[in-house]
Amino acid sequence: MYALPFLDLPPLSAADGRVRLPGSKSISNRVLLLAGLSAGTTRIHDLLDSDDTRVMLQALRALGCGVSGADGVVEVTGLGGTLAVREAQLFLGNAGTAMRPLCAALAVLAATQGGRFELSGVARMHERPIGDLVDALRRLGCHIDDLGRPGYPPLRLHGTAGGVLALQRPIRVRGDVSSQFLTALLLALPLVAQAAPVTIEVEGELISKPYIEITLNMLARFGIAVQREGFERFTIPAGSSYRTPGDVHVEGDASSASYFVALGAIAAHAGRCIRIEGVGSESVQGDIRFVEAARAMGAQVDSGPNWLEVRRGQWPLRALSLDCNHIPDAAMTLAVMALYANGPTRLTNIASWRVKETDRIAAMAAELRKLGAQVLEGADFIEVTPPVRWQPAAVRTYDDHRMAMCLSLAAFNPLAPTPGRTPVRIGDPACVAKTFPDYFEALFGLVQADAADVPVIAIDGPSASGKGTLAGELARRLGYLQLDSGAIYRAAGVAAERAGVDLDDGASVAEVANRMALRFDGERVLIDGQDLTEAVRSERGGLLASRVSVHPAVRTALHALQLSFRRAPGLVADGRDMGTVVFPDATLKVFLTASSAQRAQRRQAQLEARGIEARIEDLRSDLEARDLRDSTRSAAPLKPAEDALALDNSGLDIAASVDLVLQWWARRRPF
Ligand code: DC
């Protein structure tokens, strides 16, 4: 996950490959609650691991449910309908799928068995309405106190044992604000439908109907066969009690699939294809119907029971006007696909966007405008016209995972009908953790960019000047890849020595360098499958590198390998010739130096930390000899690039150096 203040996406030009989706949020949290209410143990496979499911799991633990997990299977041992804990304070983050159903379930349990529960969340959760559900529960006889603004969390639910609920008459609930109110009652009332059936009637036009289908489907799996008349009247049969089905498999998240369907429609051109695994034609999730909307805009989608394959069809995409009531979450993705359409796209009947993680109509309108799009918005619609001129934009994400994932697709602006060539800065990328913690990793695994569009920071300088530490920290702070080119030369030296070739014979060493299969796995270096980290990182490794790196043939052999590190979202490369030879077009070049006395001291401290003793005088003369060899060799000698910024860090600690380079970097960015 990218836990950064922002993540810059370079202009992207194509996408190809396969992605496995994380589990559905809606199914995961329903299954967790049902497992928590059932008797016995439920083994949940492919459960989504995200912020929203984590708060639900914590709540279940606090309520006395058994929760354990291994090998991707989470086991929940439920309460069997009887409260094990009578008092708890539950923090539910910004998870509507936890807040609403837990509110209903705990309200009816507290009212009949006795108890006192407080439910709260983040500030935004306290702005998301729950009053219609609370009203329905109060009419039933539940005791619910508003602890803040009436009609919004936080709430206190309480009652004494032996309380009786008014279940004889139909329970009425509004359906036109959030379908989660009805879902909450459907999940809670089987707990009290023993003696007689319980009926729920929906007031107003029910929105987001497909989510109710998921609820009914999950209820059926846990032994409750709800009878219904359309979407107006639902009856829970008498004698209902939750029974665990034992094992439950959670399908991939259809809303999350929408970003990759859009990705395929926009960027899988010229024979490319995006294959999405985990959700397909047999999905029970309403957002799978996003596929129809994407097809209407021009996507070419093939499907199987639990997979989708998407290719670009019509291009530019077809502008359309669409009622999106049936796909409220995935419809946000259409608003971004609209950037690539042949005219204005209007999405209607989306009033529920305004009460989600943020006011999504306002948020989407504001951010798409920053990119250069023309946007009209109303109480329940949004209309997007593609940019005539794309603007480099630092977009806000409003602590809304879907804003972040949607807006990432704007980075394909080089493909737009009126093409752009501009990076997109995504604020607070870690907000995707709500439903898809590894979204950006998955995205970067599929996308292609023109090398010239991928930003590079080149850090060159002599041995032990602190390049590696600086580069590593910059890469971490920007979410970029890192190339330690010294390690590549070290690996070539080690491989050549192990192969027994003469290190002064450039052609033979180059042959070894060409053949070796080099892999970096975090800090570890594997050559031909063998872990040779120690040999590569040792002082001797450095000496071998210094010897083999003088040969032009060796440098040529390692050139393409180094270029291959230049991938989205960006690269920080350190070495001797990053700015002069390998990445002459680097966005920022830094030439890092420190006095040889300073460098010898740092190297000694480094070695000491690894339990190796060395005399400072020896280290200093080694370093000076190596400087001389690196800077006087004819092939790519160590020297600052003409346009490099010099940084003598003799008197700076690492944090100060990093801050300085980040300031230089900020000045080179267009935001
Ligand atoms: O930075 P280092 O100590 O890991 O580098 C080891 C040797 O590799 C160094 O003496 C010179 C060589 N090298 C090079 O020639 N070009 C690079 N880009 C990086 C390292």
Side-chain angles (χ1 to χ4, degrees):
M1 194 174 63
Y2 289 87
L4 306 168
F6 60 82
L7 177 63
D8 288 351
L9 309 181
L12 299 171
S13 58
D16 196 21
R18 67 175 60 199
V19 60
R20 179 140 201 105
L21 294 172
S24 152
K25 174 183 70 160
S26 307
I27 296 178
S28 291
N29 265 357
R30 282 170 176 75
V31 166
L32 281 175
L33 182 68
L34 291 171
L37 297 173
S38 296
T41 298
T42 307
R43 280 172 304 282
I44 309 172
H45 304 257
D46 300 326
L47 184 77
L48 172 64
D49 179 11
S50 76
D51 291 349
D52 280 12
T53 53
R54 225 164 286 139
V55 292
M56 182 62 112
L57 279 164
Q58 266 163 16
L60 294 184
R61 273 195 203 100
L63 293 170
C65 299
V67 176
S68 60
D71 304 328
V73 181
V74 173
E75 293 195 352
V76 176
T77 304
L79 302 175
T82 306
L83 283 171
V85 168
R86 309 251 155 196
E87 269 199 53
Q89 297 197 332
L90 306 178
F91 174 78
L92 302 173
N94 198 6
T97 53
M99 178 63 78
R100 279 75 179 250
L102 275 170
C103 170
L106 291 174
V108 301
L109 289 173
T112 50
Q113 299 176 19
R116 190 183 168 88
F117 301 97
E118 286 184 16
L119 308 184
S120 65
V122 298
R124 175 63 187 168
M125 189 77 244
H126 297 173
E127 294 171 354
R128 297 176 66 184
I130 197 167
D132 295 319
L133 175 62
V134 168
D135 289 346
L137 290 166
R138 281 186 182 139
R139 284 197 297 273
L140 259 179
C142 296
H143 302 287
I144 304 178
D145 302 335
D146 297 299
L147 299 178
R149 181 149 66 111
Y152 297 82
L155 298 170
R156 185 190 297 121
L157 325 166
H158 56 99
T160 42
V164 179
L165 297 176
L167 298 164
Q168 306 74 14
R169 278 202 314 221
I171 295 139
R172 299 179 66 79
V173 66
R174 272 182 68 176
D176 54 355
V177 175
S178 167
S179 67
Q180 285 181 4
F181 301 157
L182 175 57
T183 280
L185 290 175
L186 285 167
L187 294 175
L189 293 174
L191 293 166
V192 288
Q194 276 93 28
V198 175
T199 298
I200 307 169
E201 283 179 1
V202 179
E203 289 175 355
E205 170 73 11
L206 180 67
I207 60 166
S208 316
K209 295 188 179 80
Y211 287 107
I212 300 303
E213 299 277 11
I214 298 183
T215 304
L216 297 175
N217 194 301
M218 296 303 130
L219 281 166
R221 288 200 211 172
F222 281 82
I224 314 289
V226 177
Q227 294 143 16
R228 70 180 175 113
E229 291 161 35
F231 283 97
E232 282 114 54
R233 225 175 127 85
F234 299 81
T235 300
I236 298 162
S240 286
S241 77
Y242 282 125
R243 281 194 316 273
T244 174
D247 289 83
V248 179
H249 291 261
V250 176
E251 59 178 69
D253 194 297
S255 315
S256 300
S258 72
Y259 312 110
F260 296 97
V261 173
L263 183 67
I266 295 164
H269 54 92
R272 295 179 181 84
C273 170
I274 296 292
R275 184 178 165 94
I276 302 164
E277 291 174 353
V279 70
S281 52
E282 287 179 8
S283 172
V284 300
Q285 299 167 70
D287 268 356
I288 196 65
R289 292 191 58 199
F290 172 82
V291 168
E292 294 162 25
R295 277 195 185 115
M297 287 192 81
Q300 197 186 313
V301 186
D302 296 312
S303 64
N306 65 349
W307 58 266
L308 301 167
E309 283 185 359
V310 191
R311 294 170 180 82
R312 186 193 265 186
Q314 153 134 354
W315 193 256
L317 294 174
R318 212 176 283 128
L320 45 75
S321 181
L322 191 71
D323 181 326
C324 294
N325 189 263
H326 61 300
I327 47 169
D329 284 352
M332 290 175 75
T333 313
L334 297 174
V336 181
M337 288 173 78
L339 297 171
Y340 302 95
N342 56 3
T345 293
R346 192 177 174 95
L347 310 176
T348 60
N349 208 353
I350 53 168
S352 69
W353 280 25
R354 295 215 182 259
V355 295
K356 296 286 175 122
E357 280 78 343
T358 185
D359 177 341
R360 286 175 165 169
I361 295 184
M364 192 59 93
E367 302 315 307
L368 293 181
R369 281 186 195 122
K370 281 189 198 160
L371 292 162
Q374 263 185 49
V375 186
L376 294 175
E377 60 166 304
D380 66 348
F381 77 90
I382 191 166
E383 185 179 299
V384 181
T385 306
V388 177
R389 189 171 298 117
W390 286 79
Q391 310 290 340
V395 294
R396 283 183 59 202
T397 50
Y398 306 81
D399 201 15
D400 183 349
H401 54 138
R402 301 207 185 284
M403 287 296 291
M405 294 188 276
C406 280
L407 290 165
S408 69
L409 298 170
F412 289 93
N413 57 77
L415 304 172
T418 308
R421 196 147 214 104
T422 171
V424 179
R425 172 167 290 184
I426 306 284
D428 182 26
C431 70
V432 299
K434 194 168 201 291
T435 50
F436 201 154
D438 292 333
Y439 172 74
F440 286 104
E441 287 83 346
L443 181 72
F444 294 141
L446 301 171
V447 304
Q448 293 156 27
D450 293 351
D453 286 330
V454 178
V456 176
I457 302 180
I459 315 255
D460 288 312
S463 285
S465 56
K467 300 183 303 292
T469 316
L470 176 64
E473 191 54 21
L474 289 170
R476 199 182 64 75
R477 296 272 284 270
L478 297 169
Y480 285 3
L481 298 154
Q482 190 187 353
L483 166 60
D484 170 2
S485 62
I488 290 182
Y489 284 97
R490 286 162 180 262
V494 169
E497 187 177 55
R498 290 169 63 88
V501 305
D502 175 3
L503 298 186
D504 293 326
D505 175 357
S508 304
V509 178
E511 214 185 295
V512 174
N514 252 327
R515 260 205 326 261
M516 70 175 176
L518 181 60
R519 202 159 66 81
F520 294 98
D521 183 5
E523 283 294 292
R524 297 194 314 138
V525 186
L526 297 131
I527 305 175
D528 297 328
Q530 213 179 335
D531 187 339
L532 294 174
T533 313
E534 276 304 306
V536 168
R537 301 274 178 218
S538 68
E539 282 300 285
R540 176 152 184 79
L543 281 170
L544 293 171
S546 173
R547 281 185 65 189
V548 300
S549 61
V550 301
H551 304 302
V554 173
R555 303 200 75 86
T556 308
L558 297 175
H559 194 77
L561 175 62
Q562 296 177 78
L563 291 182
S564 72
F565 280 75
R566 188 174 194 171
R567 291 196 306 269
L571 177 67
V572 185
D574 74 87
R576 302 294 185 288
D577 60 346
M578 297 297 99
T580 47
V581 177
V582 183
F583 303 109
D585 62 339
T587 326
L588 174 66
K589 300 177 187 174
V590 177
F591 196 80
L592 192 66
T593 51
S595 66
S596 56
Q598 265 287 345
R599 290 188 281 137
Q601 253 176 31
R602 289 180 191 160
R603 180 57 46 100
Q604 191 185 38
Q606 260 178 12
L607 291 172
E608 234 166 47
R610 283 163 37 197
I612 304 166
E613 268 186 47
R615 280 167 24 101
I616 198 126
E617 299 76 30
D618 295 345
L619 288 173
R620 186 169 170 175
S621 58
D622 269 2
L623 282 170
E624 284 170 354
R626 203 183 306 176
D627 288 353
L628 188 67
R629 191 159 46 227
D630 289 349
S631 54
T632 55
R633 69 185 178 211
S634 56
L638 170 65
K639 62 165 196 235
E642 267 173 25
D643 48 350
L645 300 179
L647 173 55
D648 183 334
N649 69 1
S650 303
L652 294 180
D653 64 7
I654 179 69
S657 306
V658 170
D659 283 346
L660 185 61
V661 177
L662 284 175
Q663 279 172 30
W664 290 343
W665 181 241
R667 274 187 234 139
R668 301 271 161 111
R669 302 261 72 197
F671 305 111

